[in-house]
């Protein structure tokens, strides 16, 4: 049964991907009506996220961002259908990278690069980066493998078709070290704004008016391997067109204070979101883990998070 569903999904995705984006945007308009009006997909989560992230705005402004977000979100879905069959020439027109020469310079001088990304604009299209930087570097991105192996295989095919490789998050350091031992420089994208699991919480920072538990793995890998660290500032120019500019944070991560890179990243990401709030992924319950609950249930011993005994978890 699962195999049949996979082949049905693959065939549908493949056929739709041959349509021009102009036609797929008509489909997006229809999906918007279904998702926003009928299914009301995660509307409560989106609304709470918007109100708490922008308390300075009026309710009408929140409603305007909410509607624009769902329109962009539906566009994002069909844009990634098109990704399966998009020609390189069209891809390069629709997503333009800027300041790639700074990345090339690092690679030519023998330094790999860590690229901070967020769930902003179309992060799936970032896999077209190999078209823009020196072929001396191996481009890649970290990802969470899906439980459904068939669907995972489909997404890997789409994400890797332009020459970028997907690296499972739990295997990231070993894989990147393998490239280093081979003398191959890497340019790896890290979408670092996910909510961490409880036992991965080592730092909190202010982000969009929230005391936010954050992932710090990107910082640890970049520091351990002495990589140049960039923030990729992405914005939507118009429907179906994006620009992404590389902003150098540091080429000497080992000289930074602990968690300083992580704090800089979230500060830069917040500025990008405030510029185009409708293009951020508001459907996720980003702030479901609070410091109060963490302190009640867990403790940090020798840098590792441990759950407290039940009788010590005061309510």
């Amino acid at each position: 049964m699962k195999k049949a569903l996979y082949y049905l999904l693959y065939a549908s995705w493949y056929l739709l991907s041959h349509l021009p984006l102009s036609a797929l945007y008509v489909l997006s308009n229809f999906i918007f009506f279904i998702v926003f009006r009928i299914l009301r997909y995660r509307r409560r989560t989106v609304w709470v996220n918007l109100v708490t992230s922008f308390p300075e705005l009026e309710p009408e402004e929140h409603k305007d961002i909410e509607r624009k977000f769902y329109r962009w979100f539906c566009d994002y879905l069909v844009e990634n259908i098109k990704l399966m069959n998009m020609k390189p020439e069209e891809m390069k027109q629709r997503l333009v990278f800027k300041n790639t020469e700074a990345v090339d310079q690092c690679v030519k001088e023998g330094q790999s690069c860590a690229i901070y990304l967020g769930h902003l604009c179309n992060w799936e299209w970032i896999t077209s980066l190999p078209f823009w930087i020196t072929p001396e570097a191996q481009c890649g991105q970290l990802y969470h493998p899906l439980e459904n192996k068939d669907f995972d295989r489909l997404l890997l095919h789409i994400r890797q078709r332009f020459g970028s490789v997907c690296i499972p998050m739990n295997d990231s350091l070993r894989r990147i070290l393998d490239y280093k031992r081979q003398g191959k420089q890497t340019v790896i994208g890290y979408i670092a704004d996910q909510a961490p699991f409880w036992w991965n919480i080592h730092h909190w920072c202010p982000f969009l008016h929230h005391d936010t538990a954050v992932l710090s793995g990107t910082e640890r890998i970049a520091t351990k391997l002495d990589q140049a660290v960039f923030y990729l500032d992405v914005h939507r120019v118009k429907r179906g067109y994006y620009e992404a500019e590389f902003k150098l944070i540091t080429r000497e991560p080992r000289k930074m204070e602990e968690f300083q890179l992580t704090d800089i990243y979230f500060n830069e990401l917040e500025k990008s979101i405030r510029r185009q709030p409708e293009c951020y992924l508001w459907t996720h319950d980003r702030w479901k883990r609070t410091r109060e609950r963490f302190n009640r249930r867990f403790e940090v011993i020798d840098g590792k998070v441990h759950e407290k005994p039940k009788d010590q978890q005061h309510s």
Side-chain angles (χ1 to χ4, degrees):
M1 185 63 178
K2 289 184 178 180
K3 287 284 186 182
L5 289 174
Y6 165 74
Y7 287 119
L8 177 62
L9 174 63
Y10 185 94
S12 302
W13 198 324
Y14 179 77
L15 291 173
L16 286 171
S17 71
H18 282 76
L19 295 173
L21 262 175
S22 56
L24 288 172
Y25 283 137
V26 175
L27 175 61
S28 174
N29 294 339
F30 174 73
I31 295 173
F32 167 77
F33 178 78
I34 299 297
V35 168
F36 186 71
R37 291 293 186 189
I38 299 177
L39 297 180
R40 300 179 63 83
Y41 174 69
R42 297 195 177 184
R43 293 259 319 250
R44 176 171 175 75
T45 297
V46 170
W47 182 256
V48 170
N49 283 341
L50 289 175
V51 170
T52 55
S53 296
F54 305 106
E56 71 279 9
L57 298 182
E58 298 295 328
E60 287 304 315
E61 294 175 290
H62 292 136
K63 289 179 182 178
D64 182 59
I65 296 172
E66 179 191 37
R67 176 180 291 273
K68 288 179 179 177
F69 159 72
Y70 277 98
R71 287 200 176 278
W72 162 78
F73 178 68
C74 295
D75 282 356
Y76 161 81
L77 296 177
V78 301
E79 286 169 0
N80 292 328
I81 290 174
K82 185 62 181 176
L83 187 59
M84 177 183 271
N85 192 51
M86 190 180 290
K87 300 296 186 289
E89 298 76 17
E90 183 179 4
M91 186 76 260
K92 291 181 69 175
Q93 290 176 351
R94 292 187 174 277
L95 174 56
V96 175
F97 288 90
K98 294 186 173 182
N99 196 30
T100 55
E101 59 272 14
V103 176
D104 287 346
Q105 185 66 31
C106 294
V107 172
K108 289 176 182 177
E109 293 177 6
Q111 188 175 29
S112 291
C113 302
I115 313 298
Y116 272 115
L117 308 170
H119 287 94
L120 182 70
C121 296
N122 195 321
W123 56 92
E124 297 288 351
W125 282 11
I126 303 297
T127 57
S128 64
L129 180 59
F131 295 142
W132 293 86
I133 67 170
T134 173
E136 296 175 27
Q138 175 62 62
C139 294
Q141 55 280 330
L142 267 59
Y143 87 111
H144 284 291
L146 302 177
E147 290 185 11
N148 186 309
K149 301 299 182 183
D150 292 321
F151 193 53
D152 187 64
R153 180 159 52 95
L154 172 59
L155 290 182
L156 283 176
H157 166 71
I158 296 168
R159 289 169 172 169
Q160 296 183 146
R161 62 183 296 260
F162 293 136
S164 187
V165 296
C166 289
I167 300 174
M169 184 169 287
N170 292 337
D171 198 29
S172 56
L173 183 58
R174 185 189 67 80
R175 289 280 298 275
I176 296 169
L177 277 171
D178 284 345
Y179 283 114
K180 185 178 179 67
R181 295 188 189 101
Q182 296 166 20
K184 184 77 170 178
Q185 309 309 321
T186 56
V187 178
I188 305 296
Y190 299 82
I191 298 182
D193 58 343
Q194 300 104 320
F197 293 114
W198 289 111
W199 49 88
N200 286 331
I201 296 176
H202 301 283
H203 184 54
W204 302 76
C205 75
F207 177 52
L208 291 168
H209 290 287
H210 297 83
D211 186 23
T212 307
V214 298
L215 290 169
S216 56
T218 305
E219 176 179 320
R220 291 198 300 272
I221 291 175
T223 301
K224 183 177 180 65
L225 302 181
D226 200 27
Q227 298 177 335
V229 182
F230 289 83
Y231 171 67
L232 190 62
D233 186 14
V234 189
H235 74 277
R236 193 188 201 197
V237 179
K238 60 181 180 179
R239 197 177 203 184
Y241 291 87
Y242 301 87
E243 288 184 351
E245 181 180 1
F246 287 98
K247 294 185 175 181
L248 179 65
I249 298 176
T250 183
R251 291 193 63 176
E252 298 178 300
R254 292 174 180 172
K255 292 185 177 181
M256 308 286 279
E257 297 291 333
E258 186 178 20
F259 303 125
Q260 187 178 358
L261 283 172
T262 302
D263 288 342
I264 292 173
Y265 159 65
F266 276 96
N267 183 61
E268 290 295 323
L269 179 60
E270 178 165 336
K271 288 192 289 187
S272 299
I273 293 169
R274 289 188 175 279
R275 183 181 59 215
Q276 281 188 318
E278 67 274 13
C279 293
Y280 189 61
L281 190 63
W282 297 107
T283 50
H284 284 191
D285 191 2
R286 179 63 185 81
W287 293 282
K288 58 189 173 183
R289 310 199 200 286
T290 66
R291 194 192 293 255
E292 180 185 6
R293 289 184 63 198
F294 179 83
N295 290 338
R296 185 169 67 243
R297 293 182 53 195
F298 301 91
E299 58 185 344
V300 179
I301 303 174
D302 296 329
K304 294 184 178 181
V305 177
H306 299 269
E307 189 167 12
K308 294 178 181 178
K310 294 297 183 182
D311 59 354
Q312 294 183 23
Q313 295 181 23
H314 52 279
S315 58

